[in-house]
Amino acid sequence: ERIDGRVRAMGHVHSLLSDSHWTALGLRSLITAIAPAEFIKRITIEGDEVPIGARQVTGLAMVMHELMTNSVKHGALATPTGTVSIRWTEFENRGTIKRGLEIRWREQGGPAVNSQPTPSVGMELVAGLTRSELGGEARLTFPPGGADHTLTITLDDPNAGEFALRRGSSIQNGAT
């Protein structure tokens, strides 16, 4: 079931990328597309629309999908009154990251949380994708009030995918 969910989410994201001709997608648009429709009114999304380069869209979509799925199954969205807040801020020149994004995922109103939850494939996927595909780190914490995660990612140039696509098309068409 979880694998099917991941495959469906990836299919949806690839459709969005195809519709945009594999150019950058806005973070707000990406999160809204990944969020289960029946829970969207209980999810607060705050932050300026940040373009996410096509190369990073898939990894970030998978991370968001995992967090949504975990919340629906075990967290705040598993209860009738629980909420999720997703906020982000862009930054420049923090340590080794020239241009980045800090995303805060916070759940409230869900069931009591075990501060040391059993490691899961989903949480390992979140940490691994954040590190390998997004050039950052995931700080996953579980205070009693609900999951409180911070993802710090390096942002690619949002035009890199568009340039690569145009360049590939030019080469295929014989243009120089």
Side-chain angles (χ1 to χ4, degrees), residues 27-28 31-32 35 43-47 64 67-68 84-88 103-106:
L27 180 56
R28 179 181 306 279
I31 292 172
T32 302
I43 300 170
T44 302
I45 302 171
E46 294 181 40
M64 289 291 123
L67 294 175
M68 295 280 180
V84 172
S85 169
I86 307 167
R87 294 184 176 139
W88 61 85
I103 303 170
R104 176 102 183 260
W105 174 283
R106 186 159 187 227

Side-chain angles (χ1 to χ4, degrees), residues 57-68:
V57 166
T58 303
L60 187 53
M62 286 304 302
V63 167
M64 289 291 123
H65 176 264
E66 283 303 318
L67 294 175
M68 295 280 180

Side-chain angles (χ1 to χ4, degrees), residues 10 61 97 102 105 110 121 155 169:
M10 292 311 304
I97 299 177
E102 185 171 278
W105 174 283
V121 171
L155 288 173
S169 295

Side-chain angles (χ1 to χ4, degrees), residues 22-104:
W22 290 84
T23 60
L25 292 178
L27 180 56
R28 179 181 306 279
S29 302
L30 179 63
I31 292 172
T32 302
I34 292 297
E38 64 271 27
F39 296 105
I40 196 70
K41 290 183 179 178
R42 294 169 43 201
I43 300 170
T44 302
I45 302 171
E46 294 181 40
D48 293 336
E49 186 68 287
V50 175
I52 305 299
R55 185 192 72 80
Q56 292 183 302
V57 166
T58 303
L60 187 53
M62 286 304 302
V63 167
M64 289 291 123
H65 176 264
E66 283 303 318
L67 294 175
M68 295 280 180
T69 299
N70 286 344
S71 184
V72 168
K73 290 189 173 201
H74 312 289
L77 297 178
T79 66
T81 58
T83 61
V84 172
S85 169
I86 307 167
R87 294 184 176 139
W88 61 85
T89 54
E90 246 185 299
F91 64 84
E92 290 188 31
N93 299 318
R94 184 185 294 173
T96 60
I97 299 177
K98 291 182 180 177
R99 181 172 166 261
L101 191 64
E102 185 171 278
I103 303 170
R104 176 102 183 260

